[in-house]
Amino acid sequence: MNFPADRVSRRGGLPAAPPRLGVGTRPAAIAVALAVLAFLAGTVPGAFGDTGTLAVTATVLSKSNCKLDAKTATLNFGSLDPAVAADVNATASVGFVCRGSAPVATFLFTDDDGQNPSGPGARRMRNASAPEFLPYSLLLSPASGTIPKNTTGTLTISGTVRWSDFQGSISGAYTDSVVVSILP
């Protein structure tokens, strides 16, 4: 019987004992075994048990939740007579109420520049039959403030058309649409 030279012991030609795992090889073997287990656990969860899904939810309460009572209102300047040298003013009112977790609600009113602005804050009504515009201004009162929860408040919208703006305008109906918002 012939054995390879590296596998023959010096004691009578018998095969040498297989190498023993020494202290230096144990951490490597353990690391390999742990890596295999981690791989199997990550790729085959069904092999070790069952899985499920947990839904996580929360609701944050608003300190103030304000709403307008009406979704539409009209600010009507009426008939503008160029023969009367005076600015024309108009007002409209809209109710609002605030709810939420706070006993006193804080609110803020905002408005856009309408459909025909000539620049920021420069609102204009447009003539229904001609490309003619009529400037006007708006004032929201109160613009902001506080109100006890569940108490009805009133927003007053005031507008002005200056006589100098309509004295030379062509006749006809002028309109615009402005979005008024209450926050929060």
Side-chain angles (χ1 to χ4, degrees), residues 27-45:
I30 292 172
V32 169
L34 289 176
V36 169
L37 287 175
F39 173 76
L40 290 175
T43 59
V44 191

Side-chain angles (χ1 to χ4, degrees), residues 53-134:
T53 302
L54 172 66
V56 179
T57 64
T59 301
V60 176
L61 297 177
S62 172
K63 290 187 203 177
S64 303
N65 183 4
C66 302
K67 303 283 184 198
L68 295 170
D69 289 343
K71 296 297 180 188
T72 61
T74 301
L75 183 66
N76 187 351
F77 289 103
S79 298
L80 307 178
D81 185 355
V84 178
D87 296 346
V88 177
N89 298 308
T91 60
S93 295
V94 178
F96 67 95
V97 66
C98 296
R99 295 181 173 81
S101 64
V104 176
T106 301
F107 62 87
L108 169 69
F109 284 104
T110 63
D111 61 283
D112 69 3
D113 290 332
Q115 296 178 332
N116 311 294
S118 62
R123 295 171 192 82
R124 302 182 304 172
M125 292 180 274
R126 181 185 162 112
N127 187 297
S129 59
E132 180 81 13
F133 297 95
L134 183 59

Side-chain angles (χ1 to χ4, degrees), residues 77 80 87-88 116-118 121-127 132-138 159-167 169 174-176:
F77 289 103
L80 307 178
D87 296 346
V88 177
N116 311 294
S118 62
R123 295 171 192 82
R124 302 182 304 172
M125 292 180 274
R126 181 185 162 112
N127 187 297
E132 180 81 13
F133 297 95
L134 183 59
Y136 67 97
S137 63
L138 283 183
T160 301
V161 178
R162 294 188 337 228
W163 176 72
S164 60
D165 290 330
F166 71 83
Q167 71 177 347
S169 295
Y174 289 79
T175 62
D176 194 15

